[in-house]
Amino acid sequence: MKYKVKTIYFEPENTYIKLRLVKWNYLQNQTFWLLSLAISKSKRQLNDWLNKRKNKRSKKLSAKLTGNSGLLLQLIAVRHLRVWTEELHPGDCIFFLCESKEKFKQFKIYSRWFKQREITGWYTDPDRLLFYYFKPAQLVETNE
């Protein structure tokens, strides 16, 4: 897979959640993926932010943590990562950076979430404020 994009519409709050998983780097048989996550009431604003356009819509979204919706929507989006972690090839890795305006707050909330509710394999790096998931390589059994 080259990249994946998932847009989730959350009806009670008329809000769009956009997840993007992009190939970031290669190392031998490993692929490193970078996850981007944004929440907005406008699809156009989400697309501008994900494409890093230099306009008012993109800058306004970059300056917010969650908008008016709280962290519920972000955590719904993070749960969708379970599907993508299952589709990874053995040896691949997903990096999830805290990119919001209040990075420490976002890191604290996500680290608590990953420890309590997510599958094993997620690791944290408090110095760089990032999370990563490494899918272990499958061992080949030999019949002797």
PDB file of all heavy atoms in Angstrom, residues 58-71:
ATOM      1  N   SER A  58      -5.574  26.450   7.191  1.00  0.00           N
ATOM      2  CA  SER A  58      -4.576  25.512   7.675  1.00  0.00           C
ATOM      3  C   SER A  58      -3.924  25.998   8.970  1.00  0.00           C
ATOM      4  O   SER A  58      -3.740  25.226   9.908  1.00  0.00           O
ATOM      5  CB  SER A  58      -3.510  25.308   6.603  1.00  0.00           C
ATOM      6  OG  SER A  58      -2.504  24.471   7.069  1.00  0.00           O
ATOM      7  N   LYS A  59      -3.593  27.257   9.043  1.00  0.00           N
ATOM      8  CA  LYS A  59      -2.955  27.807  10.236  1.00  0.00           C
ATOM      9  C   LYS A  59      -3.896  27.796  11.433  1.00  0.00           C
ATOM     10  O   LYS A  59      -3.479  27.571  12.561  1.00  0.00           O
ATOM     11  CB  LYS A  59      -2.473  29.228   9.961  1.00  0.00           C
ATOM     12  CG  LYS A  59      -1.301  29.267   9.006  1.00  0.00           C
ATOM     13  CD  LYS A  59      -0.901  30.675   8.676  1.00  0.00           C
ATOM     14  CE  LYS A  59       0.181  30.680   7.605  1.00  0.00           C
ATOM     15  NZ  LYS A  59       0.499  32.022   7.152  1.00  0.00           N
ATOM     16  N   LYS A  60      -5.169  28.037  11.184  1.00  0.00           N
ATOM     17  CA  LYS A  60      -6.149  28.047  12.265  1.00  0.00           C
ATOM     18  C   LYS A  60      -6.294  26.650  12.876  1.00  0.00           C
ATOM     19  O   LYS A  60      -6.393  26.493  14.085  1.00  0.00           O
ATOM     20  CB  LYS A  60      -7.488  28.541  11.738  1.00  0.00           C
ATOM     21  CG  LYS A  60      -8.481  28.882  12.798  1.00  0.00           C
ATOM     22  CD  LYS A  60      -9.697  29.534  12.190  1.00  0.00           C
ATOM     23  CE  LYS A  60     -10.682  29.907  13.267  1.00  0.00           C
ATOM     24  NZ  LYS A  60     -11.875  30.537  12.730  1.00  0.00           N
ATOM     25  N   LEU A  61      -6.295  25.625  12.039  1.00  0.00           N
ATOM     26  CA  LEU A  61      -6.404  24.256  12.536  1.00  0.00           C
ATOM     27  C   LEU A  61      -5.134  23.835  13.274  1.00  0.00           C
ATOM     28  O   LEU A  61      -5.199  23.112  14.259  1.00  0.00           O
ATOM     29  CB  LEU A  61      -6.692  23.295  11.383  1.00  0.00           C
ATOM     30  CG  LEU A  61      -7.004  21.859  11.756  1.00  0.00           C
ATOM     31  CD1 LEU A  61      -8.238  21.801  12.655  1.00  0.00           C
ATOM     32  CD2 LEU A  61      -7.235  21.033  10.520  1.00  0.00           C
ATOM     33  N   SER A  62      -3.983  24.303  12.837  1.00  0.00           N
ATOM     34  CA  SER A  62      -2.717  23.958  13.497  1.00  0.00           C
ATOM     35  C   SER A  62      -2.612  24.558  14.891  1.00  0.00           C
ATOM     36  O   SER A  62      -1.886  24.052  15.736  1.00  0.00           O
ATOM     37  CB  SER A  62      -1.538  24.445  12.662  1.00  0.00           C
ATOM     38  OG  SER A  62      -1.513  23.781  11.434  1.00  0.00           O
ATOM     39  N   ALA A  63      -3.344  25.635  15.135  1.00  0.00           N
ATOM     40  CA  ALA A  63      -3.257  26.335  16.414  1.00  0.00           C
ATOM     41  C   ALA A  63      -4.178  25.748  17.474  1.00  0.00           C
ATOM     42  O   ALA A  63      -4.199  26.227  18.604  1.00  0.00           O
ATOM     43  CB  ALA A  63      -3.583  27.814  16.210  1.00  0.00           C
ATOM     44  N   LYS A  64      -4.957  24.719  17.152  1.00  0.00           N
ATOM     45  CA  LYS A  64      -5.903  24.145  18.100  1.00  0.00           C
ATOM     46  C   LYS A  64      -5.470  22.746  18.506  1.00  0.00           C
ATOM     47  O   LYS A  64      -4.802  22.046  17.764  1.00  0.00           O
ATOM     48  CB  LYS A  64      -7.294  24.040  17.468  1.00  0.00           C
ATOM     49  CG  LYS A  64      -7.931  25.354  17.155  1.00  0.00           C
ATOM     50  CD  LYS A  64      -9.296  25.103  16.591  1.00  0.00           C
ATOM     51  CE  LYS A  64      -9.971  26.391  16.191  1.00  0.00           C
ATOM     52  NZ  LYS A  64     -11.297  26.154  15.642  1.00  0.00           N
ATOM     53  N   LEU A  65      -5.918  22.347  19.681  1.00  0.00           N
ATOM     54  CA  LEU A  65      -5.711  20.964  20.095  1.00  0.00           C
ATOM     55  C   LEU A  65      -6.874  20.109  19.635  1.00  0.00           C
ATOM     56  O   LEU A  65      -6.711  19.153  18.909  1.00  0.00           O
ATOM     57  CB  LEU A  65      -5.570  20.866  21.610  1.00  0.00           C
ATOM     58  CG  LEU A  65      -5.530  19.457  22.197  1.00  0.00           C
ATOM     59  CD1 LEU A  65      -4.303  18.731  21.707  1.00  0.00           C
ATOM     60  CD2 LEU A  65      -5.549  19.512  23.697  1.00  0.00           C
ATOM     61  N   THR A  66      -8.076  20.468  20.059  1.00  0.00           N
ATOM     62  CA  THR A  66      -9.234  19.640  19.741  1.00  0.00           C
ATOM     63  C   THR A  66     -10.413  20.440  19.234  1.00  0.00           C
ATOM     64  O   THR A  66     -11.431  19.864  18.897  1.00  0.00           O
ATOM     65  CB  THR A  66      -9.712  18.897  20.990  1.00  0.00           C
ATOM     66  OG1 THR A  66     -10.060  19.862  21.973  1.00  0.00           O
ATOM     67  CG2 THR A  66      -8.659  17.971  21.511  1.00  0.00           C
ATOM     68  N   GLY A  67     -10.329  21.739  19.223  1.00  0.00           N
ATOM     69  CA  GLY A  67     -11.500  22.519  18.863  1.00  0.00           C
ATOM     70  C   GLY A  67     -12.506  22.472  19.994  1.00  0.00           C
ATOM     71  O   GLY A  67     -12.155  22.423  21.159  1.00  0.00           O
ATOM     72  N   ASN A  68     -13.796  22.460  19.662  1.00  0.00           N
ATOM     73  CA  ASN A  68     -14.837  22.439  20.673  1.00  0.00           C
ATOM     74  C   ASN A  68     -15.261  21.023  21.042  1.00  0.00           C
ATOM     75  O   ASN A  68     -16.084  20.831  21.912  1.00  0.00           O
ATOM     76  CB  ASN A  68     -16.068  23.199  20.164  1.00  0.00           C
ATOM     77  CG  ASN A  68     -15.744  24.639  19.868  1.00  0.00           C
ATOM     78  OD1 ASN A  68     -14.887  25.222  20.524  1.00  0.00           O
ATOM     79  ND2 ASN A  68     -16.409  25.224  18.893  1.00  0.00           N
ATOM     80  N   SER A  69     -14.730  20.032  20.374  1.00  0.00           N
ATOM     81  CA  SER A  69     -15.238  18.674  20.506  1.00  0.00           C
ATOM     82  C   SER A  69     -14.617  17.880  21.648  1.00  0.00           C
ATOM     83  O   SER A  69     -15.135  16.847  22.018  1.00  0.00           O
ATOM     84  CB  SER A  69     -15.015  17.921  19.201  1.00  0.00           C
ATOM     85  OG  SER A  69     -13.647  17.870  18.925  1.00  0.00           O
ATOM     86  N   GLY A  70     -13.505  18.302  22.186  1.00  0.00           N
ATOM     87  CA  GLY A  70     -12.845  17.528  23.225  1.00  0.00           C
ATOM     88  C   GLY A  70     -12.032  16.392  22.626  1.00  0.00           C
ATOM     89  O   GLY A  70     -11.858  16.292  21.418  1.00  0.00           O
ATOM     90  N   LEU A  71     -11.551  15.532  23.475  1.00  0.00           N
ATOM     91  CA  LEU A  71     -10.677  14.456  23.023  1.00  0.00           C
ATOM     92  C   LEU A  71     -11.405  13.198  22.587  1.00  0.00           C
ATOM     93  O   LEU A  71     -10.794  12.280  22.080  1.00  0.00           O
ATOM     94  CB  LEU A  71      -9.695  14.102  24.126  1.00  0.00           C
ATOM     95  CG  LEU A  71      -8.621  15.149  24.317  1.00  0.00           C
ATOM     96  CD1 LEU A  71      -7.845  14.868  25.573  1.00  0.00           C
ATOM     97  CD2 LEU A  71      -7.699  15.157  23.125  1.00  0.00           C
TER      98      LEU A  71
END
